[in-house]
């Protein structure tokens, strides 16, 4: 229940502090006095977006603070889930700064606007003048029926399960799409894998093959050079070996003459041995060098395979090709496991769908069971509101696939006159008739709703006289278990309020400001008399005002 509203620097309101009470309260005031401004300020703390245009003084911030008694609403879990401090008396504050910055608080804890809006929806239901448009919405109509059938918790449970089912369906569809693409890619990948696998690549094979081929390709040049080298060593005239033998003989002739010559002899002998080894090695290499066209072709073929794969896959080593082969093998394994995963998901999805249908059928059965009572109740109220010949039906149809809120689509059918067929409410009802139908719906839903505060903004559009008085009675009856406020321009409705608030303007030389005050009994008589007689208050108007207030004359 809304207990107190404080407004500073909002629209035409400079400062406002007002207490509110249980039961039925009415708010009246001249056109343009600022009745909608009060609602606008309250909407701010209920999570509505705003901008700096709402600032009365553009140099100061706007503050709107609302105090609610939430003890009976069982919101402890909501506060706990959102990490908020819970108190029976809940204070919600909104600040709008000249810079455009907005801040929101719940019990002095800063919160994001969506959370404030979510909390606000649990505290106040504001029926604005344009909300009758919701009557055209199938979603709104179904929501109304569910509230009447008292299955909103079951609908919420269904919707949670529906969202979970939709997530499963999206995951399954993604797997199927992936498997479809995989089938297109699998043949190509399998071809690549088979090609790499059949090549039987080995690590560290490329360099030795290239070295061997280099020798085979140049064997004649190598043999020619080696033969010439043997001639350098073994030529009878001027060969290194003969020259060195001659040098050794010469040194032996003087070796006993000095120790230095002995050392020299050793060195010459060492060189001679080394040259002999080199000569032997050259001859040995020459013996091994034989043309081998078969081996040469074999190596060329092998390297062609390696080079072709490297070029094809833009890689520069056998090791990189082997890594690619491993990667493709893993992809092929993944593709083969996709079918198993799809089958697993399919089984889960089928079970989920069965459970979803079960929950949807439960909702549908409850809705269909309560429709006769719902229609009868609506008709009873709209007849009471002056539409004696009106007919109303809630036409429900089943859809094939589950949708949000179940497997039902609902249409409200209406006709205000005898002898004509029912048609959709949006096409058959005038503005005043829509307002009365909405009031009938709200009065029914209020009985089953946990909403503590309901506010009507000119629900009396299109009604007057005796019907207006009946509207007032219904509103008064609705307020039995709820705090109900109605902004009205009709004295017949205003007279039914337990409390009467007046919105008025104060004008001076420089500005116009709006304010709100609670009227006493005599002030109420005067205000109702003004509403009845317009410019000049007559005795008859005062008498009628007292009758409306059940005051003895």
């Amino acid at each position: 229940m809304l207990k107190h509203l404080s407004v500073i620097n909002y629209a035409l309101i400079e400062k406002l502090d007002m207490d509110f009470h249980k039961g039925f309260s009415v708010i009246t005031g001249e056109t343009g006095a600022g009745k909608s401004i009060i609602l606008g300020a309250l909407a701010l703390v209920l999570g509505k977006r705003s901008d700096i245009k709402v600032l009365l003084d553009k140099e100061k911030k706007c503050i709107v603070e609302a105090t609610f008694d939430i003890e009976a609403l069982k919101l402890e879990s909501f506060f706990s889930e959102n990490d908020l401090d819970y108190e029976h008396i809940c204070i919600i504050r909104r600040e709008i700064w000249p810079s455009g910055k907005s801040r929101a608080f719940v019990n002095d804890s800063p919160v994001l606007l969506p959370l404030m809006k979510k909390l606000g929806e649990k505290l106040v239901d504001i029926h604005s003048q344009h909300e009758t448009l919701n009557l055209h919405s199938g979603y709104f109509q179904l929501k109304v029926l569910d509230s009447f059938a008292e299955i909103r918790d079951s609908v919420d449970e269904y919707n949670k399960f529906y969202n979970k089912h939709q997530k499963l369906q999206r995951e399954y569809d993604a797997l199927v799409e992936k498997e479809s693409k995989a089938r297109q890619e699998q043949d190509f990948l399998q071809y690549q894998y088979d090609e790499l696998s059949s090549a039987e690549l080995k690590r560290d094979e490329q360099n030795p093959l290239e070295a061997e081929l280099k020798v085979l390709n140049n064997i004649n040049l190598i043999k020619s050079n080696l033969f010439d080298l043997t001639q350098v060593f073994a030529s009878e005239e001027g060969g290194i070996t003969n020259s060195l033998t001659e040098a050794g003989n010469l040194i032996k002739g003087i070796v006993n003459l000095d120790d230095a010559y002995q050392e020299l002899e050793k060195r010459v002998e060492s060189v001679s041995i080394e040259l002999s080894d080199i000569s032997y090695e050259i001859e040995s290499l020459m013996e091994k060098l034989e043309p081998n066209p078969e081996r040469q072709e074999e190596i060329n073929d092998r390297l062609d395979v390696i080079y072709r794969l490297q070029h094809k896959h833009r890689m520069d080593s056998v090791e990189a090709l082997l890594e690619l082969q491993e990667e493709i093998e893993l992809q092929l394994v993944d593709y083969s496991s996709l079918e198993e995963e799809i089958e697993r998901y399919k089984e889960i999805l089928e079970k989920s769908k069965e459970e979803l249908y079960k929950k949807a059928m439960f909702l549908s059965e409850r809705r269909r069971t309560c429709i006769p009572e719902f229609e009868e109740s609506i008709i009873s109220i709209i007849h009471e509101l002056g539409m004696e010949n009106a007919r109303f039906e809630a036409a429900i149809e089943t859809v094939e696939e589950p949708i949000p809120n179940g497997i039902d689509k609902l249409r409200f059918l209406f006709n205000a006159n005898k002898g004509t067929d029912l048609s959709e409410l949006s096409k058959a009802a005038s503005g005043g008739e829509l307002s009365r139908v909405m009031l009938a719906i709200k009065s029914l839903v209020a009985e089953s709703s946990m909403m503590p505060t309901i506010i009507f903004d000119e629900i009396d559009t299109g009604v007057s006289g005796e019907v207006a008085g009946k509207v007032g009675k219904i509103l008064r009856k609705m307020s039995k278990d709820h705090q109900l406020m109605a902004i009205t321009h009709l004295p017949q409705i205003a007279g039914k309020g337990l409390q009467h608030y007046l919105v008025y303007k104060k004008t001076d030389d420089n500005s116009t400001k709006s304010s709100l005050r609670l009227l006493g009994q005599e002030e109420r008589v005067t205000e109702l008399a003004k509403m009845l007689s317009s410019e000049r208050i007559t005795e008859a108007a005062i008498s009628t005002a007292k009758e409306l207030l059940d005051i003895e004359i």
Side-chain angles (χ1 to χ4, degrees):
M1 183 188 83
L2 176 65
K3 292 178 65 67
H4 185 81
L5 180 66
S6 171
V7 183
I8 298 174
N9 197 38
Y10 176 82
L12 295 179
I13 300 175
E14 183 176 35
K15 183 175 176 59
L16 171 69
D17 278 290
M18 185 58 61
D19 291 325
F20 294 92
H21 307 277
K22 294 181 180 179
F24 181 32
S25 299
V26 295
I27 301 174
T28 65
E30 296 179 0
T31 301
K35 297 187 293 294
S36 62
I37 293 175
I38 304 297
L39 276 187
L42 181 59
L44 275 184
V45 292
L46 299 177
K48 179 183 176 182
R49 295 191 176 278
S50 69
D51 56 45
I52 59 173
K53 293 179 181 179
V54 302
L55 302 183
L56 174 62
D57 185 338
K58 305 301 182 184
E59 303 298 319
K60 298 178 181 178
K61 69 178 177 179
C62 161
I63 303 175
V64 181
E65 186 173 280
T67 302
F68 293 89
D69 184 343
I70 62 173
E71 184 173 5
L73 299 185
K74 300 178 181 178
L75 293 178
E76 290 89 346
S77 60
F78 175 87
F79 276 71
S80 176
E81 290 168 6
N82 292 283
D83 198 25
L84 294 172
D85 294 331
Y86 176 81
E87 299 288 345
H88 293 332
I89 301 301
C90 176
I91 300 175
I92 306 177
R93 186 171 79 255
R94 186 83 178 277
E95 298 178 357
I96 312 297
W97 293 70
S99 63
K101 180 180 178 182
S102 170
R103 300 180 68 191
F105 301 86
V106 175
N107 291 337
D108 283 331
S109 294
V111 297
L112 296 177
L113 197 58
L115 178 57
M116 174 177 272
K117 186 174 185 296
K118 193 174 181 181
L119 176 59
E121 290 171 349
K122 298 179 181 295
L123 301 178
V124 180
D125 177 17
I126 298 180
H127 173 86
S128 59
Q129 292 176 339
H130 65 270
E131 195 185 0
T132 50
L133 296 175
N134 285 339
L135 280 174
H136 309 335
S137 162
Y139 171 77
F140 177 81
Q141 294 173 4
L142 198 61
K143 186 177 178 181
V144 166
L145 182 61
D146 290 344
S147 294
F148 182 82
E150 298 183 356
I151 57 172
R152 287 301 306 166
D153 288 344
S154 298
V155 173
D156 290 342
E157 180 185 345
Y158 168 88
N159 282 331
K160 288 178 182 177
F161 195 88
Y162 175 82
N163 291 333
K164 182 180 177 182
H165 178 80
Q166 290 298 100
K167 183 174 181 289
L168 275 173
Q169 183 69 57
R170 288 192 297 270
E171 291 171 350
Y172 173 78
D173 292 343
L175 280 173
V176 170
E177 183 179 358
K178 184 177 179 181
E179 196 268 342
S180 176
K181 290 180 178 179
R183 279 199 304 270
Q184 299 171 17
E185 296 174 356
Q186 192 169 8
D187 290 343
F188 176 66
L189 286 173
Q190 188 65 54
Y191 170 77
Q192 285 188 317
Y193 177 79
D194 291 343
E195 185 180 42
L196 289 167
S197 179
S198 62
E200 297 182 350
L201 299 170
K202 299 178 181 63
R203 296 184 186 276
D204 302 322
E205 70 170 317
Q206 183 175 352
N207 290 340
L209 287 174
E210 289 174 337
E212 185 179 355
L213 182 63
K214 191 174 183 181
V215 171
L216 290 171
N217 287 340
N218 294 279
I219 195 165
N220 291 331
L221 173 64
I222 296 171
K223 288 187 71 173
S224 174
N225 284 6
L226 288 178
F227 177 78
D228 290 344
L229 190 57
T230 60
Q231 295 306 305
V232 170
F233 276 84
S235 175
E236 293 182 0
E237 296 180 1
I240 294 176
T241 303
N242 290 336
S243 297
L244 193 59
T245 299
E246 185 179 348
N249 291 333
L250 291 172
I251 201 69
K252 283 180 180 179
I254 59 173
V255 69
N256 295 323
L257 300 178
D258 194 301
D259 290 342
Y261 303 143
Q262 293 179 3
E263 184 62 29
L264 190 59
E265 180 189 33
K266 290 178 182 179
R267 291 177 64 187
V268 170
E269 185 178 356
S270 175
V271 170
S272 178
I273 294 171
E274 179 65 20
L275 286 175
S276 295
D277 286 343
I278 292 174
S279 178
Y280 176 80
E281 181 70 19
I282 291 171
E283 291 175 0
S284 176
L285 288 172
M286 285 180 63
E287 290 176 1
K288 294 177 181 178
L289 285 173
E290 291 294 335
N292 190 343
E294 293 81 7
R295 177 59 179 166
Q296 194 172 356
E297 183 178 0
E298 180 185 335
I299 294 175
N300 271 319
D301 290 344
R302 182 60 176 169
L303 288 174
D304 282 345
V305 170
I306 293 173
Y307 293 154
R308 178 173 56 80
L309 292 173
Q310 288 176 342
H311 177 74
K312 181 177 182 178
H313 297 288
R314 297 181 181 180
M315 294 179 173
D316 59 3
S317 69
V318 171
E319 288 72 23
L321 289 172
L322 288 170
E323 289 178 8
L324 175 62
Q325 181 180 333
E326 291 175 3
E327 290 174 8
I328 294 175
E329 185 177 12
L330 288 175
Q331 284 183 271
L332 291 171
V333 170
D334 285 343
Y335 290 149
S336 64
S337 66
L338 268 178
E339 293 183 3
E340 297 178 8
E341 187 72 359
I342 287 172
E343 286 302 314
R344 187 178 72 85
Y345 258 86
K346 190 174 182 179
E347 184 178 341
I348 295 173
L349 197 59
E350 285 298 324
K351 290 180 180 179
S352 175
K353 193 171 185 177
E354 288 177 9
E355 183 65 21
L356 189 65
Y357 264 110
K358 183 178 178 182
K359 292 180 182 297
M361 286 299 298
F362 169 79
L363 297 178
S364 186
E365 289 169 5
R366 290 290 297 272
R367 288 163 179 159
R368 292 173 187 277
T369 299
C370 79
I371 278 179
E373 182 184 354
F374 177 71
E375 291 173 337
E376 184 180 343
S377 300
I378 293 290
I379 291 170
S380 175
I381 296 173
I382 58 179
H383 283 180
E384 186 180 345
L385 291 172
M387 294 187 287
E388 294 85 357
N389 298 316
R391 290 178 295 153
F392 175 89
E393 283 186 13
I396 193 169
E397 61 177 300
T398 301
V399 297
E400 292 184 3
E401 293 293 328
I403 56 177
N405 300 313
I407 52 172
D408 299 318
K409 284 189 175 181
L410 188 68
R411 292 182 302 144
F412 285 170
L413 305 179
F414 177 81
N415 197 293
N417 305 304
K418 287 183 178 180
T420 53
D421 295 332
L422 289 165
S423 59
E424 290 192 21
L425 183 63
S426 60
K427 300 175 181 177
S430 66
E433 290 165 347
L434 282 174
S435 292
R436 279 178 272 180
V437 172
M438 178 61 89
L439 178 58
I441 287 171
K442 289 281 185 176
S443 66
L444 285 182
V445 172
E447 295 177 9
S448 57
S449 172
M450 288 294 291
M451 189 67 65
T453 300
I454 302 173
I455 301 177
F456 288 104
D457 182 9
E458 300 196 15
I459 190 67
D460 50 21
T461 299
V463 301
S464 59
E466 183 181 355
V467 173
K470 292 178 179 179
V471 170
K473 287 181 181 179
I474 291 175
L475 293 173
R476 179 78 170 260
K477 181 181 178 182
M478 285 175 65
S479 70
K480 178 182 177 183
D481 298 313
H482 300 268
Q483 181 187 46
L484 190 145
M485 302 180 194
I487 295 175
T488 182
H489 62 280
L490 296 179
Q492 296 94 329
I493 294 176
K496 294 294 188 291
L498 299 176
Q499 293 83 221
H500 187 155
Y501 297 87
L502 176 67
V503 179
Y504 61 96
K505 283 184 177 180
K506 298 182 292 184
T507 303
D508 56 29
D509 294 337
N510 298 317
S511 63
T512 299
K513 297 182 177 65
S514 291
S515 192
L516 178 73
R517 63 188 178 91
L518 179 63
L519 299 181
Q521 190 76 322
E522 290 300 319
E523 291 175 308
R524 291 191 69 181
V525 172
T526 302
E527 182 61 24
L528 290 181
K530 285 182 182 179
M531 296 171 72
L532 287 162
S533 60
S534 300
E535 295 181 2
R536 189 173 64 86
I537 299 177
T538 64
E539 289 298 326
I542 290 176
S543 177
T544 303
K546 289 182 178 180
E547 287 181 10
L548 291 174
L549 292 169
D550 291 329
I551 298 175
E552 287 190 22
I553 302 174

